[in-house]
Amino acid sequence: MTAGTTEPIVRISDLHKSFGANEVLRGIDLDVARGEVVCVIGPSGSGKSTLLRCVNLLEVPTGGTVVVNGHEMTDPDVDIDAARRSTGMVFQQFNLFSHLSVLDNLTIAQRRVLGRSRAEAEERARANLARVGISEKENAQPGQLSGGQQQRVAIARALSMDPAVMLFDEPTSALDPELVGDVLDVMRGLADDGMTMLVVTHEIQFAREVADRVLFIDGGVIVEQGPPADVIGNPREERTRSFLARVLHTAPRAAGG
Amino acid sequence: MALTRRQRAKAWRGVQYAIVVVVVLVAAFTADWSQIGRSFFNVQVALNLMPEVFTIALKNTITYTALGFGLGFALGLVLALMRLSSVAVYRIVAAAYIEFFRGLPALLVFIGVGVAVPLAFGTILDRNLSIMIALGLVGSAYMAETIRAGIQAVPRGQVEAAQSLAMSPTKTMSFIVVPQAFRIVLPPLTNELILLTKDSSLAFFLGSTLEQQELAQFGRTALNQERSLTPVLLVGLCYLIITLPLGYLARRLERRYGSAGMPKGAEV
């Protein structure tokens, strides 16, 4: 199977995931088209992060299939390391490699996985650091950066691998409020450039402005989905309404989870 | 009369000081200082041992320790990875090895290498090689557990980040986990090095020419020849020459990597 222009980049069918007796995902079907920005919202423990982590197989699904860019991630015989090259991931806790400089964080996988030369890897790394607006920090250690800077480096690190789809797992939840805007601006820029993005977020405002489609997940199922104007602006389901009322009421930016 | 808590603490500390002073005074008055001076601080005897105590004994101790540490470290890393392997056989073999060599006195390991190997295989190993093997076997068992703990202390998020960048388990281990684990275990590894420095004194068991003596044996030989305890003091100081800087180095490294380089703002 090849990824044609009409073929979705991510195709999730009847995805189930249990941790012991606890069924976190109860049958998720989701297609993400090339260039589409899908934001996933929902209460804590609803399974949003698990859904995202099943896409690049950081969690192994209990049932169903996940196909990313033509690779069936859930096939037991899949070359998972090759299949993961199609996805880039940004974590809530940044997870920059703490023993490497910013530049080395961006080049190590390019060189060790993609086999690029140091010069080529550094060229790509610098281009991506410029893209997230943090070029001047290339020789810094991660510990010397603010949370917002670290997260932008993490985004640049994922971009350096030229992924077909970017996965964001609550990328601003661990940030101090005044640093959230910079990271969201970078993500907005990516969306404008046509990057395919699957974003788990508590930033309702961001979802409203940037998403092509919003998914509301609760209890391991997709409760409601559609354009942000519908799902956020005029939700059909009671559960969606009460969730939005809670997050939008407490603060414009919900606390991290 | 009721004392406040503060007064009680003060009085108790006064008693402690008094006891120490009494013990020291009794020891000082009852000891035969001229005898101690003749035995331990005989300058002529000390000069007789120069420069061999440095050029031979100290040098050999450092050489043997370095050989043993090198092998022990390499073996220890392999064992640590085996302990963490998903393959049950690797885990069991490594665990058995570690329990075995950690439980044996180092002296028995030296006997094993020095006697059992020649008996079993009919060849006498090169002496330096024997020392390296014996110290390596002992050291690796301890270092394996230390390194394993270090590997397990690397945050899970680091592994997930590497996986998300499509790094294979081997590459994740080699380029991300192990380098970070080493920073974590540098201070305890320095302790292993100090322990091995002292275990290197068991090399005497493999027999030695004058040129091959390390510090402890050199001290014992000199003790008999000179009929003086001064060599013991001298040799003891030489051990401190090795171990004190190592301890200092360990503390410095601990300060430097104490937080294991965790990124700021990543505390959960």
Side-chain angles (χ1 to χ4, degrees), chain B residues 182-188 190 244-262:
Chain B
F182 280 152
R183 296 176 170 217
I184 298 171
V185 300
L186 264 174
T190 320
L244 287 182
L246 283 178
Y248 172 75
L249 188 70
R251 282 191 300 279
R252 272 196 59 146
L253 291 170
E254 197 158 11
R255 262 206 301 281
R256 184 146 157 224
Y257 298 129
S259 57
M262 288 288 287

Side-chain angles (χ1 to χ4, degrees), chain A residues 53 56 58 81 84-85 87 89 91 93-99 108-109 112-113 143-145 150 157-158 161, chain B residues 157-158 160-169 171 175-176 179-180 183 260-268:
Chain A
R53 290 162 61 84
N56 66 352
L58 285 186
D81 300 319
R84 276 185 180 140
R85 289 181 203 176
T87 61
M89 190 170 213
F91 299 86
Q93 299 293 348
F94 330 133
N95 295 349
L96 292 184
F97 300 131
S98 54
H99 63 304
I108 184 143
R112 304 300 179 184
V113 176
Q144 299 168 327
L145 302 180
Q150 289 190 47
R157 178 175 67 177
M161 302 293 284
Chain B
Q158 298 284 314
E160 290 187 347
Q163 287 175 335
S164 79
L165 291 166
M167 293 177 89
S168 66
K171 285 172 183 163
F175 300 121
I176 306 301
Q180 291 190 35
R183 296 176 170 217
M262 288 288 287
K264 223 193 306 178
E267 302 88 347
V268 184

Side-chain angles (χ1 to χ4, degrees), chain A residues 15-30:
Chain A
L15 179 66
H16 288 258
K17 173 67 184 176
S18 301
F19 295 101
N22 180 19
E23 190 171 27
V24 178
L25 297 177
R26 305 160 183 262
I28 302 267
D29 294 289
L30 172 66

